Amino acid sequence: MTTRRRLMGGAAAIVTAALMTGQAMAQEVTLTLHQFLPAQANVPKLVLDVWADNVEAASDGRIEVQRYPSMQLGGTPPELLDQAIDGIADVVWTVVGYTPGRFPSTEVFELPFMVSDARAASYAYWNMYEKHMTEEFADVHIVGTWVHGPGMFHTNKPVAVPSDLEGMKIRGGSRLVNDLLTRVGAEPIGMPVPAVSEALSKGVIDGTTIPWEVTTALKVPELVENHTEFDGAALYNLTFVLAMNKEKYDSLPDDLKAVIDAQSGEAFSIFAGGTQADADGPARQVAVDRGNNIVTVSEEQAKEWDALVNPIYETWVADMEGRGIDGQALIDEARALMAEYDPAMDTYGK
């Protein structure tokens, strides 16, 4: 072999080694992100993918986030938090209320007519998580906490007053929502949101409680023609977490932990809740364009609803007291934090 060939071969080997090193660095850490909605739904598309893309970019490709929608890693939505705890998935997004009573302090944001603004509530939720809820979530590393936009009814017949719900089977997403449904005369049917479409199409339920934004992914405006929304404070909200396996987070080198930390916390939580709520408008327009019937309950008319469901507060405070939690203090603090929210706090990605 000539000297020139040996030199060329050596140079090629160096280039190959460098490329392999670059590829290894690019795949230094792989995170699996598991959640229950289709990939094209608003939360995966507008919140989770944005978070994952930001993590990948901020790590210069050293972290890859593999996304698994629609429970593709197996199990059911109520099992997602345990999947994060057990390491079946590295990161999960889920509804906290899918595991009733397990994370009781979060329910303060699910009380009826409690929340008027998803960004303000998500801000309050994160701050109260840091102060009061870390023990409840001790088995996972929490990335973000937020609520959706106003919860409402989507039904096979018009609903304007509570008596319209008498005898109707309505899907609820948490124990407090199911309590609310009982108090307004409906029969609550608990189920995760992915089951709603089939349940509506087969007549298993007469309607569902969900915010506008998820109706498009579930094709709800095609399955029922009536929607009841509330002016002012929301009838109800649900709480979410983006949670990471603790061992996976702890195993990261400090600089990659810093990447995750920078994409976590108050600003991300506000962004997530606000983005989810912002998606309500376009989803509502789909129902409008179909000519569906939209009933809007005014704040004055909502007083009739509030009179029926307000006792949930007293019941919940008593339940919290039995768990050693000052429920009234949580209510007062949540209201105070929501009132102090400033839109200038919405800084994620800006």
Side-chain angles (χ1 to χ4, degrees):
M1 182 182 292
T2 67
T3 301
R4 183 169 180 270
R5 284 181 178 175
R6 284 197 299 271
L7 289 171
M8 289 179 65
I14 291 169
V15 170
T16 300
L19 287 171
M20 291 179 66
T21 300
Q23 290 171 355
M25 285 187 66
Q27 299 181 12
E28 184 175 327
V29 174
T30 299
L31 299 178
T32 55
L33 170 56
H34 199 204
Q35 54 89 18
F36 56 84
L37 285 178
Q40 70 273 17
N42 284 315
V43 172
K45 181 173 61 178
L46 302 177
V47 177
L48 303 181
D49 280 350
V50 171
W51 177 84
D53 290 347
N54 287 346
V55 166
E56 291 177 340
S59 70
D60 294 326
R62 291 169 62 203
I63 298 177
E64 177 190 3
V65 183
Q66 297 179 346
R67 301 116 199 245
Y68 293 90
S70 302
M71 302 305 299
Q72 288 180 350
L73 294 180
T76 63
E79 296 171 336
L80 278 165
L81 271 168
D82 283 325
Q83 289 186 354
I85 292 169
D86 297 337
I88 295 170
D90 298 316
V91 185
V92 303
W93 170 66
T94 191
V95 176
V96 179
Y98 284 171
T99 50
R102 189 169 171 183
F103 307 96
S105 297
T106 65
E107 292 179 337
V108 67
F109 296 103
E110 298 183 1
L111 292 164
F113 301 110
M114 179 71 174
V115 172
S116 297
D117 179 88
R119 286 180 171 85
S122 299
Y123 159 77
Y125 182 8
W126 176 263
N127 282 275
M128 292 178 68
Y129 157 72
E130 288 196 305
K131 186 174 179 181
H132 304 294
M133 304 176 192
T134 54
E135 187 173 337
E136 291 179 19
F137 289 100
D139 293 329
V140 287
H141 176 82
I142 295 295
V143 172
T145 61
W146 69 92
V147 305
H148 61 49
M152 52 182 290
F153 295 108
H154 309 268
T155 51
N156 59 12
K157 68 176 187 179
V159 172
V161 294
S163 59
D164 291 334
L165 286 165
E166 285 289 341
M168 294 182 70
K169 295 180 179 179
I170 305 295
R171 174 264 177 187
S174 73
R175 74 183 191 111
L176 287 190
V177 175
N178 289 339
D179 188 0
L180 179 154
L181 291 171
T182 299
R183 291 172 188 267
V184 296
E187 179 183 345
I189 306 294
M191 65 176 66
V193 77
V196 164
S197 299
E198 184 177 3
L200 283 173
S201 65
K202 292 184 175 180
V204 174
I205 55 176
D206 300 304
T208 184
T209 54
I210 47 175
W212 275 118
E213 62 85 12
V214 76
T215 58
T216 50
L218 302 178
K219 302 187 183 304
V220 169
E222 301 171 28
L223 296 168
V224 295
E225 297 181 351
N226 300 283
H227 314 272
T228 303
E229 58 188 12
F230 290 73
D231 281 342
L235 175 68
Y236 80 92
N237 296 79
L238 292 184
T239 58
F240 302 94
V241 291
L242 187 64
M244 187 172 179
N245 175 267
K246 286 195 68 152
E247 288 73 21
K248 189 73 172 185
Y249 175 81
D250 290 341
S251 72
L252 297 175
D254 288 345
D255 60 337
L256 293 187
K257 282 181 184 174
V259 168
I260 298 296
D261 293 346
Q263 304 298 328
S264 304
E266 180 184 293
F268 171 68
S269 299
I270 294 169
F271 159 80
T275 300
Q276 194 166 347
D278 289 347
D280 284 341
R284 184 184 190 277
Q285 190 61 43
V286 172
V288 171
D289 292 344
R290 290 184 61 86
N292 287 8
N293 176 43
I294 298 177
V295 176
T296 301
V297 178
S298 69
E299 291 188 60
E300 181 63 29
Q301 293 167 329
K303 291 178 180 178
E304 179 182 0
W305 295 81
D306 186 52
L308 292 173
V309 301
N310 193 266
I312 291 175
Y313 281 76
E314 184 178 351
T315 302
W316 185 76
V317 168
D319 180 36
M320 292 300 104
E321 184 178 346
R323 299 168 184 264
I325 298 170
D326 188 339
Q328 187 59 53
L330 290 180
I331 292 169
D332 295 341
E333 184 174 0
R335 285 174 171 157
L337 285 167
M338 288 189 288
E340 77 176 29
Y341 169 73
D342 186 323
M345 298 171 178
D346 186 5
T347 60
Y348 184 77
K350 298 177 182 177

